[in-house]
Every structure is written in structure tokens, then in C-alpha cells.
Amino acid sequence: MTDFFQDQQPLQFDPDGSDLCFRHYNPDEILNGKRMEEHLRFAVAYWHSFAWPGGDPFGGETFERPWFGDTMEHARLKADVAFELFDILGAPYFCWHDADIRPEGKTFAQSRRNFEEIIEYFEGKMQGSKARLLWGTANMFSHRRFMSGAATNPDPDMFAWSAATVKLCLDATARLGGQNYVLWGGREGYETLLNTDLKRERKQAGRFLQMVVDYKHKIGFEGAILVEPKPQEPSKHQYDYDVATVYGFLKEFGLEGEVQMNIEQGHAILAGHSFEHELALASSLGILGSIDMNRNDYQSGWDTDQFPNNVPEVALAYYEVLKAGGFSKGGTNFDAKLRRQSLDPIDLIASHAGAMDICARGLKAAAAMLDDGSLESMRNERYAGWDLPSSQQMLAGDLASAAAKVDAEGFDPQPRSGKQEILENIVNRFV
Ligand code: XUL
Ligand code: CO
């Protein structure tokens, strides 16, 4: 035991509790035939909670964690504290990038040794904890060597370096029994077309993803390969802009049956969509994998990675997840960081506990909306005309026969209310 959280006991579900506890997240509560814990599948993100120093563009580190430093001893202490937080929260999952968990070595071989030692350390820690790996990923955006991209780099040596990095991280994810492997292309995009061969870079990205999928099969990794879309930041323009863009990309490279999406709330907003739009689209395309449940600040328009705190928004997101049949390998990852003034160990606990409660409230509301059925039946009624055999025949036919219906049947289509406010009032009954 470290003394970082000062003997803080695991949080309990206590709806009337006063201090630190869960008031809504009751892991054992059954909703739609499944335990709440299995619906939500919460994950703590190693990078924001343990590796982020609290900087912003105007100032550096505000957090002074005893594990900040670049020795293996620091990395092990970080792991000790991380698993203590997982256990305090009862978090079933965690996620990491290679760079979050190990010190960078002077050479690739040294970084690999450091990484593998920590993976082994994790294996030991996982024996004494219920926390499992939701996903692993490679940080191919922070180090200066990635400034011009990873797989999309103009330098083929960087393609090879990226291949070595992803191979290492995928091997480790498989070794820890990870449920998924995520690729987020933070530097897979461009700053200016004046120095960018866009056609070539997209091909490199597609070929790289094909190689990752082939390697997954080669090693028998049973998790899902997920791409996390984001329109910009850090690149001015990223190739994995949003769900629709990535789906087109997957089709182009023959990967649509192999790769799913990890959809982040804040990224959806940056792309000009709602979170539920991205979720519904991925679900309709059969590629909904997992979610990053962290929001942005609505005034700054920047990717501020904040813990969720808006039940109605979260409810609409889980409504789409439930309608899609729920998560199978995916889960709810808090890709969220504390605000930089939240210095205390208890802030780390309270932020996650609050977010878990918000998600639990959202999930309960979503399940109740589905149970109630009014929303679905009003939507179905809106499209009821399409259930008629004649409508389906029209879809199967050609333009001229569709056109001929107008004269033959002599109808004059009358607009009908979309009932948006009534539907919003229904949602409001549950949130
Ligand atoms: C960046 C982001 C990443 C990915 C993993 O905006 O969301 O943390 O989730 O690389
Ligand atoms: Co994310």
C-alpha cells in the first residue's frame, strides 16, 4: 500500500450517503436483465489520471505527484497508486498508452525493456485486483519524432518505428487479456497542403491499418481493433474526422468487417455532431465498439477532456448504446482529466465517483425510456408507411415505377408534425 490515498476505503453504494460514496452507481442493480456494472464497463484512463502534470498553454505542471520522474521505480509507484484508485472505485477496467506507463529509454530497445517490465508488473497487480484491461494503445503523438505523423509520415523510417510501436503495444494488450486495441491518429493528418501529399498519406494510413488487422489475426488476439475519430487537434485536419469519414476509409481499404469505433463525446462535438449522432451512425453501420465519456467546455470550443456532468446528455448517449444491444467488448472510458487546480488525491477519487454516478443516472434514464417505449413507438409510427408491402415494392423497383404511383393512386402527400417538443417533453420525464 502507498500512502497516497491515505487508507481511503473502497466506495460503497449508499443512496443517502453524505460523504464519498456512489448515490446512483449500484454495480449489482439489474437493468434490462444485466448488472449495471456490466452495462457501463467503466475504465480509468492512465494518461490523464496518473501521467498528466496539469499544464495548459500558459503554464506548466501544477500536480506534484510522488511518481513523476523517469525511473522504473517511479513507474512502479505510479502503477501501485493507479491500482489503489481502481480498487477504491471498484473500476472493472483501465486503459493505457505505452508512454503513460513506462519511462522513455534512450533507444527503442530500452523503451521496450521498460515497457515489458511494467506490463509484467501489471500482470502481478491484476492478480490482486478485479481491474482488467479495457484497451491498450500507443502514444504516437507526444514525442517530437511523431510531429509529422506516425504511419502517414513522409519518412518511411517513421512508418517502421510506428509499426514496431503498435506491434509492441498490441502484443502487451493481448498478454494482459485486453478487450480491445485502440488507434487514435493524433498526428495522422496535416497542417498545410503546401507540404503534404494527402493521397499518399491516406494510402499509408490504410495500409498500416491493414497490417495491424493482419497482425491481430496472426497472434490470435481476440479483442476488437477500434479507431477513435477526431476532426482536428493536434493536427489542423485529421484523416479520421468522424464516424462517417472513418467508415468510408474502412470501406476503401476493405476493413469494414474488421475495425470498429471508439467514439468520444468531446470529439463528436468538435466534429459538429452530437454524441448520440455519432453513436447512432456507428450502430447503424455495425461498427459501434466503445466510448470515451468525456466532454469539452461548451464556451471554449477546445478539447478540454472534462468528466461528464450532464445527465440528459449522457442519457441520450446510453439510449443509443442500449438500442444497439449494449457493449460487448467495449465500455465507458473516462478519457478525462482533472482541472489543473484540483490538486488533492481526493479530487482524483471524487471526479471518477461523480462521473460514474452521472453515467449511472443516464443509464437508468435510458433504460426507463426504452422500457416505456413511447419514443420508439412514436418514431415507428412516423415511418409506418414504409412497413406497407407497396412501399417496399417501390424501394425494390425503379424511378419510373415509383413516379407512376403518383398518377395511378392520385395522392397528394400532406405534411405531418415531427412532434419534436412532445418528444423532448417525454425525455424530460426521465432525466
Ligand atoms: C485524444 C484522445 C486520446 C485517445 C487515445 O483526444 O482522445 O486520449 O483516446 O489515444
Ligand atoms: Co479519447
Side-chain angles (χ1 to χ4, degrees):
M1 275 292 272
T2 73
D3 59 4
F4 187 72
F5 291 116
Q6 303 192 332
D7 288 332
Q8 169 69 50
Q9 294 306 298
L11 302 190
Q12 304 297 324
F13 169 64
D14 179 358
D16 307 312
S18 52
D19 206 13
L20 265 182
C21 62
F22 297 119
R23 292 184 188 80
H24 302 274
Y25 177 56
N26 177 7
D28 292 322
E29 183 174 334
I30 305 286
L31 289 165
N32 288 0
K34 206 156 88 174
R35 290 174 62 248
M36 199 187 267
E37 181 178 52
E38 286 154 28
H39 272 292
L40 292 163
R41 294 164 62 87
F42 288 129
V44 176
Y46 217 89
W47 51 102
H48 288 321
S49 292
F50 307 108
W52 184 63
D56 71 10
F58 299 89
E61 179 172 326
T62 55
F63 301 147
E64 293 176 331
R65 307 299 197 205
W67 58 85
F68 283 175
D70 50 13
T71 69
M72 288 300 288
E73 210 176 310
H74 286 111
R76 278 188 292 271
L77 174 62
K78 194 194 309 190
D80 292 343
V81 174
F83 275 82
E84 282 168 18
L85 181 67
F86 306 157
D87 293 346
I88 290 168
L89 296 170
Y93 293 103
F94 65 107
C95 302
W96 47 251
H97 301 83
D98 51 352
D100 312 327
I101 64 175
R102 55 95 178 114
E104 178 92 19
K106 283 206 162 49
T107 59
F108 187 88
Q110 181 63 55
S111 293
R112 175 168 51 210
R113 275 194 296 279
N114 293 348
F115 177 71
E116 283 174 343
E117 238 182 273
I118 291 295
I119 293 296
E120 198 177 321
Y121 196 65
F122 277 2
E123 274 181 323
K125 302 242 85 167
M126 287 166 75
Q127 277 171 23
S129 168
K130 77 168 194 182
R132 294 291 167 263
L133 183 63
L134 185 65
W135 45 266
T137 188
N139 179 332
M140 300 201 292
F141 44 89
S142 294
H143 195 284
R144 65 191 292 277
R145 70 169 68 87
F146 293 110
M147 71 175 197
S148 309
T152 60
N153 204 292
D155 178 357
D157 287 354
M158 278 307 300
F159 188 96
W161 187 287
S162 306
T165 305
V166 170
K167 177 179 175 299
L168 185 62
C169 290
L170 192 47
D171 283 338
T173 300
R175 180 170 158 190
L176 294 181
Q179 303 275 300
N180 308 270
Y181 183 83
V182 166
L183 293 122
W184 170 59
R187 303 274 173 202
E188 310 291 36
Y190 64 84
E191 298 304 313
T192 171
L193 277 176
L194 296 176
N195 66 11
T196 302
D197 184 339
L198 179 150
K199 188 173 175 189
R200 196 193 277 273
E201 290 200 0
R202 286 188 71 260
K203 277 210 172 112
Q204 285 170 217
R207 186 67 198 112
F208 191 84
L209 197 51
Q210 288 168 339
M211 288 178 179
V212 173
V213 167
D214 287 348
Y215 188 68
K216 162 200 152 141
H217 291 305
K218 187 170 164 203
I219 63 172
F221 175 58
E222 285 175 5
I225 301 289
L226 307 178
V227 165
E228 183 175 327
K230 185 174 183 182
Q232 69 270 329
E233 294 179 27
S235 299
K236 160 81 181 134
H237 186 111
Q238 288 186 209
Y239 299 131
D240 51 4
Y241 196 95
D242 59 2
V243 169
T245 308
V246 175
Y247 188 68
F249 184 89
L250 296 181
K251 287 286 246 191
E252 182 180 345
F253 293 96
L255 292 165
E256 66 273 24
E258 297 281 0
V259 177
Q260 298 180 326
M261 300 290 130
N262 181 45
I263 303 173
E264 177 167 319
Q265 198 268 4
H267 296 182
I269 305 293
L270 279 180
H273 302 302
S274 66
F275 193 23
E276 57 271 22
H277 165 86
E278 289 288 80
L279 296 170
L281 182 58
S283 161
S284 76
L285 297 168
I287 52 172
L288 176 55
S290 200
I291 63 175
D292 276 6
M293 184 56 103
N294 43 285
R295 67 191 176 92
N296 293 345
D297 181 279
Y298 286 114
Q299 280 73 49
S300 74
W302 184 250
D303 183 8
T304 52
D305 283 333
Q306 293 177 240
F307 285 92
N309 75 346
N310 183 323
V311 174
E313 269 182 14
V314 166
L316 291 179
Y318 283 118
Y319 189 68
E320 296 303 327
V321 171
L322 288 182
K323 276 204 303 176
F327 296 125
S328 53
K329 292 180 196 297
T332 303
N333 174 43
F334 295 119
D335 187 357
K337 53 188 180 240
L338 293 169
R339 298 304 86 195
R340 73 195 288 267
Q341 298 177 55
S342 303
L343 302 179
D344 298 342
I346 200 163
D347 294 322
L348 259 180
I349 302 174
S351 54
H352 285 91
M356 289 159 86
D357 264 350
I358 293 276
C359 290
R361 286 184 72 180
L363 177 75
K364 282 191 279 193
M369 290 193 287
L370 263 185
D371 248 20
D372 170 78
S374 315
L375 292 174
E376 289 315 293
S377 64
M378 284 176 71
R379 192 204 321 260
N380 290 340
E381 196 186 314
R382 188 161 184 243
Y383 292 89
W386 284 102
D387 294 336
L388 299 172
S390 57
S391 308
Q392 291 306 313
Q393 272 160 21
M394 174 173 70
L395 272 188
D398 61 11
L399 191 70
S401 38
K405 276 167 74 75
V406 177
D407 284 336
E409 295 175 28
F411 48 61
D412 179 11
Q414 293 303 308
R416 287 192 301 153
S417 170
K419 301 186 191 301
Q420 179 165 339
E421 294 78 5
I422 293 174
L423 291 162
E424 286 166 349
N425 294 351
I426 292 175
V427 170
N428 205 33
R429 295 212 303 262
F430 296 93
V431 295

